[in-house]
Amino acid sequence: MKTTLKLSTLAFALTLFAGTSVAHAQDSEENFEGIKFGVQAGWERRKIDETLLPAPNSARLDDKNSGITYGGFAGYDAQFDQIVLGVEADFSPNGKTLQSSLVNGGSIELDSKWAASASARAGIAITPNVLAYGRLGYGFNRYQIRSLAAGNSTPIATERVTGEGLIYGGGLEFAMNRNASFRVEYRRNDYDRSLRSDQVLGGLTVRF
């Protein structure tokens, strides 16, 4: 009888331990760790108010434009319990054209060709499947500045520039499972020559 009671107690203890271990493993599941690749798209608003081009072709460009933006990213995240730290690089092949009319009937325009950035992010997993994070990094924007005479599509003056500056923002990431998640993020880009953009992006991430 005593032997049977001891065996029953031991079996109960082992079952309880196993259940606790499984629950702990589920609670500590790291859904935001690993090498990652993804795509993102959203809405962007660009603005500039600056005098551009060398004299005697200098002119003031004051304009803003909004539209769809898209691109891809790659990076790595490390998760330490609820804390997530990561690095990321992204590239966007599209851009917006900003344009102002001049008093002589001509115009000046800035045509963005591509944008890229490298950034770090830090966040807290507020649940095993939801990550709140902030982002800080450095961005690059390749664009062309053109001054056009009235009724003429051939530029009077042209300058190719790679603007650069800080990017910052934050968002939420939702893990569907260990290998896939989606996110929503606000991002601000401050480039040279007062060129800046505000973005609201949605992204899909695949982890390995």
Side-chain angles (χ1 to χ4, degrees):
M1 182 67 180
K2 290 182 179 180
T3 302
T4 302
L5 182 59
K6 288 180 179 179
L7 289 175
S8 298
T9 303
L10 180 60
F12 176 78
L14 290 173
T15 301
L16 183 62
F17 176 78
T20 304
S21 298
V22 170
H24 175 73
Q26 290 175 343
D27 289 342
S28 62
E29 186 176 4
E30 296 176 340
N31 288 317
F32 303 101
E33 175 156 334
I35 297 171
K36 65 182 180 182
F37 297 91
V39 293
Q40 60 188 9
W43 192 256
E44 178 183 37
R45 183 175 185 269
R46 283 182 172 250
K47 184 177 182 180
I48 190 172
D49 184 4
E50 189 79 19
T51 298
L52 304 174
L53 294 175
N57 298 302
S58 300
R60 192 162 195 85
L61 175 57
D62 182 6
D63 191 24
K64 56 188 176 182
N65 192 6
S66 301
I68 294 173
T69 184
Y70 56 87
F73 59 89
Y76 177 78
D77 290 321
Q79 184 168 353
F80 309 93
D81 293 328
Q82 282 81 30
I83 304 299
V84 177
L85 303 175
V87 292
E88 191 172 302
D90 66 68
F91 181 81
S92 176
N94 71 315
K96 304 290 175 291
T97 298
L98 302 174
Q99 185 179 61
S100 287
S101 297
L102 304 178
V103 293
N104 61 6
S107 64
I108 183 172
E109 63 181 33
L110 183 152
D111 184 16
S112 294
K113 302 299 183 182
W114 56 261
S117 71
S119 61
R121 70 173 191 164
I124 298 176
I126 54 181
T127 76
N129 298 93
V130 180
L131 174 70
Y133 64 90
R135 182 185 303 281
L136 179 64
Y138 209 71
F140 303 89
N141 185 197
R142 182 67 171 175
Y143 54 87
Q144 184 180 59
I145 304 168
R146 295 187 293 261
S147 178
L148 305 172
N152 195 338
S153 59
T154 302
I156 300 172
T158 302
E159 184 179 9
R160 295 182 183 273
V161 180
T162 301
E164 55 187 89
L166 287 177
I167 70 164
Y168 51 92
L172 294 172
E173 185 169 350
F174 306 87
M176 294 177 281
N177 54 50
R178 175 66 183 79
N179 301 110
S181 64
F182 66 93
R183 70 191 192 189
V184 290
E185 178 179 332
Y186 165 76
R187 188 179 298 187
R188 174 67 176 261
N189 304 267
D190 287 321
Y191 300 115
D192 298 335
R193 297 182 170 182
S194 81
L195 175 64
R196 61 184 183 270
S197 76
D198 295 279
Q199 299 174 322
V200 178
L201 303 169
L204 178 63
T205 302
V206 177
R207 284 188 171 83
F208 300 93

